[in-house]
Amino acid sequence: MESKGKTYKVKDISLADQGRSKIEWAESRMPVMMKLRELYGKTKPLKGMRIAGCLHVTKETAVLIKTLAIAGAEVSWSGCNPLSTQDDVAAALAADGISVYAWRGLSTDEFYWAIEKTLEFRPQLTLDDGSDLIFTIHSKHKDMLAEMYGGSEETTTGIHRMDAMAKEGALAYPVVAVNDAETKWDFDNVYGTGQSSMDGIIRATNILLAGKVFVVAGYGHCGRGSAMRARGLGARVIVTEVDHIAALKATLDGFEVSTMDAAAPRGDVFLTATGMRDVITGRHFAQMKDGAIVANTGHYDVEINIGDLEKIAKSKREIRPNNEEYRLADGRRVYILAQGRLVNLAAAEGHPSEVMDMSFANQFMAMKFLAEQGKDLKPAVYRVPREQDEEIARLKLETMGIKIDKLTPEQIKYKTDYSQGT
Ligand SMILES: NC(=O)c1ccc[n+]([C@@H]2O[C@H](COP(=O)([O-])OP(=O)(O)OC[C@H]3O[C@@H](n4cnc5c(N)ncnc54)[C@H](O)[C@@H]3O)[C@@H](O)[C@H]2O)c1
């Protein structure tokens, strides 16, 4: 817990050694991040920069935080979800001198208190997952805006918030949309969320997924990854969508596509992955089978309307960790995992290190870019430059020992020569 003179508040500092082992394990799986440490540990491009971060405190995030510090930054951190902090990792960071204000199970007030604590050293850069930090600075600490170099955003929902702020002219400093880098969005959200959401569902339930009817709401990046992995485990997958193109992709990928109303009485397991509110509501719960399991992997806990379920439930109890049983008047039981918060982070450990290697390499490069050029940029949402994406993919392949072909000079010429036909 917080003690006088210490710049941290964690659950239990004595967990530090356990956290250090976890971080070491992640480091052994994140070769691109290790390469960045090697490259920028000497030149220290972040020297003199104060970075506040608000992103899930996991072992992979610890690798990012340490890499930022090795490159010269002073860092202060809070978690971006009340249930995703790994207390041992937070303890290890605190014990190693990082300002960290994070513990699993904090209340909404404590969540915002933690953000406020990370702002006390007046950051010049922000690193967000959901944009709560950027939004807090813009709404409550306008006096800090002049000192800001920029910020970065990790997730789809946060980018939506930033795009909306920029459109209204309310964004006061440049923000790099890390989520939208191809080496992030097409890997972390797809393969990371896909695997870790199954992991969270399995840890919270230990059910056999083979043969189950598994309903995935949303066939974007996270939904596609989740549908793919659920199918791989033998589930019969139904996809629900609101976008015709996404629904068509799901259909041609071989999934059954349906409405949530039609899927509600058929599903054994439901997973929302939309970033949208009220995807599963009272009328869906009313139709579900006895024993239906409902989870969310979208950023906020708004996708499943648990309030509606509370209204029709007669009783509620925790049957396993991260698994609450709601009993309805007619005796049917519905199970909500991780209180409707992202199941992969609340009930499991979040994305595997290997995929966060690329996401956090993009975050690191975004911080470096903003430290060098942020002051010259207009307030807007910036996409990651293509060269950065390509370089991270190249480094990742190199660390995996995979070689690819190179275009020959003739092929390069052919690519741009529009005069050649049959
Ligand atoms: N769990 C994690 O670790 C994790 C990781 C990355 C992203 N996320 C979050 O997951 C969410 C989805 O991210 P994404 O990158 O897949 O976004 P995306 O934009 O690629 O896909 C979202 C999809 O949901 C669909 N959708 C929207 N409303 C719907 C509704 N009512 N019913 C059915 N489908 C609907 C959209 O049409 C779209 O195809 C976001 O909140 C994002 O921040 C979570």
Side-chain angles (χ1 to χ4, degrees):
M1 285 291 160
E2 194 185 26
S3 36
K4 248 191 143 77
K6 295 258 165 57
T7 55
Y8 66 79
K9 184 168 175 174
V10 299
K11 186 157 274 170
D12 180 358
I13 196 74
S14 75
L15 296 173
D17 279 345
Q18 190 180 306
R20 284 193 189 103
S21 301
K22 272 196 183 173
I23 298 167
E24 251 181 69
W25 172 255
E27 282 169 345
S28 76
R29 310 274 136 184
M30 299 176 81
V32 178
M33 293 302 285
M34 295 307 105
K35 196 108 196 161
L36 294 178
R37 280 188 192 176
E38 206 182 294
L39 281 172
Y40 299 116
K42 288 180 207 104
T43 54
K44 304 226 181 278
L46 298 176
K47 193 160 192 277
M49 299 307 295
R50 295 185 299 278
I51 303 177
C54 180
L55 194 149
H56 309 288
V57 179
T58 64
K59 57 190 186 305
E60 291 74 23
T61 303
V63 176
L64 169 63
I65 293 172
K66 289 177 74 176
T67 308
L68 294 169
I70 287 168
E74 200 187 328
V75 186
S76 190
W77 215 265
S78 69
C80 67
N81 185 288
L83 291 184
S84 64
T85 292
Q86 294 167 10
D87 287 319
D88 48 4
V89 170
L93 286 168
D96 291 346
I98 301 289
S99 293
V100 53
Y101 302 90
W103 62 99
R104 187 189 158 97
L106 39 63
S107 66
T108 306
D109 282 351
E110 288 167 332
F111 179 86
Y112 288 106
W113 173 87
I115 288 183
E116 289 293 338
K117 291 299 281 182
T118 63
L119 297 179
E120 279 178 0
F121 79 154
R122 299 186 77 83
Q124 300 131 307
L125 289 165
T126 54
L127 196 157
D128 254 295
D129 186 339
S131 290
D132 285 328
L133 199 50
I134 297 181
F135 190 73
T136 304
I137 293 178
H138 278 74
S139 53
K140 292 197 191 134
H141 298 284
K142 289 195 176 24
D143 58 304
M144 287 188 188
L145 291 170
E147 291 164 50
M148 296 302 303
Y149 281 61
S152 65
E153 173 50 54
E154 171 78 3
T155 200
T156 319
T157 289
I159 305 289
H160 292 163
R161 281 181 96 179
M162 288 303 94
D163 282 339
M165 267 177 87
K167 205 170 154 200
E168 275 194 13
L171 191 63
Y173 61 81
V175 174
V176 177
V178 167
N179 178 73
D180 296 4
E182 208 170 338
T183 46
K184 196 281 180 186
W185 208 1
D186 282 2
F187 294 88
D188 165 322
N189 300 36
V190 180
Y191 306 100
T193 310
Q195 178 171 318
S196 60
S197 297
M198 296 308 118
D199 186 12
I201 290 167
I202 291 168
R203 289 196 207 192
T205 63
N206 199 29
I207 57 162
L208 180 72
L209 281 167
K212 294 285 191 300
V213 175
F214 194 111
V215 181
V216 177
Y219 199 72
H221 295 72
C222 297
R224 184 164 74 84
S226 302
M228 195 158 70
R229 291 299 174 249
R231 174 157 68 188
L233 286 161
R236 290 176 286 148
V237 178
I238 300 176
V239 168
T240 74
E241 252 298 344
V242 292
D243 178 276
H244 294 105
I245 298 173
L248 192 58
K249 281 184 185 166
T251 304
L252 267 64
D253 282 344
F255 295 107
E256 180 181 342
V257 173
S258 165
T259 62
M260 187 55 84
D261 283 309
R266 294 177 56 203
D268 297 301
V269 184
F270 295 81
L271 180 69
T272 53
T274 68
M276 181 50 66
R277 58 176 298 169
D278 297 327
V279 177
I280 296 182
T281 63
R283 72 171 198 275
H284 303 118
F285 289 122
Q287 298 186 70
M288 284 182 189
K289 289 190 217 176
D290 179 33
I293 294 165
V294 184
N296 164 53
T297 201
H299 189 74
Y300 288 117
D301 60 341
V302 295
E303 307 208 10
I304 305 167
N305 193 325
I306 299 179
D308 280 0
L309 181 59
E310 302 257 353
K311 277 185 215 141
I312 56 170
K314 288 282 157 227
S315 63
K316 166 184 158 182
R317 63 173 172 148
E318 186 180 64
I319 189 141
R320 288 167 59 90
N322 296 307
N323 184 342
E324 280 177 318
E325 178 188 85
Y326 288 77
R327 195 174 276 274
L328 309 188
D330 60 6
R332 274 179 305 131
R333 291 156 298 181
V334 172
Y335 297 91
I336 300 283
L337 306 189
Q339 299 167 30
R341 296 199 181 272
L342 354 87
V343 70
N344 61 327
L345 281 139
E349 286 176 64
H351 296 5
S353 310
E354 290 88 338
V355 82
M356 294 316 292
D357 197 21
M358 293 181 280
S359 306
F360 286 163
N362 275 300
Q363 282 289 6
F364 180 90
M365 295 308 289
M367 287 292 112
K368 179 174 170 293
F369 166 71
L370 288 167
E372 288 163 357
Q373 298 181 41
K375 279 284 181 197
D376 303 325
L377 298 172
K378 289 200 181 74
V381 180
Y382 291 85
R383 263 58 206 178
V384 161
R386 184 71 194 162
E387 304 78 57
Q388 178 179 316
D389 242 341
E390 279 170 5
E391 179 58 8
I392 289 172
R394 189 192 67 74
L395 275 174
K396 187 73 182 171
L397 283 170
E398 187 183 289
T399 64
M400 293 166 88
I402 294 169
K403 291 194 167 64
I404 65 166
D405 286 327
K406 251 200 187 111
L407 288 177
T408 62
E410 293 72 25
Q411 286 171 324
I412 292 170
K413 185 162 179 283
Y414 180 76
K415 217 172 139 184
T416 50
D417 183 1
Y418 57 83
S419 67
Q420 288 196 39
T422 311

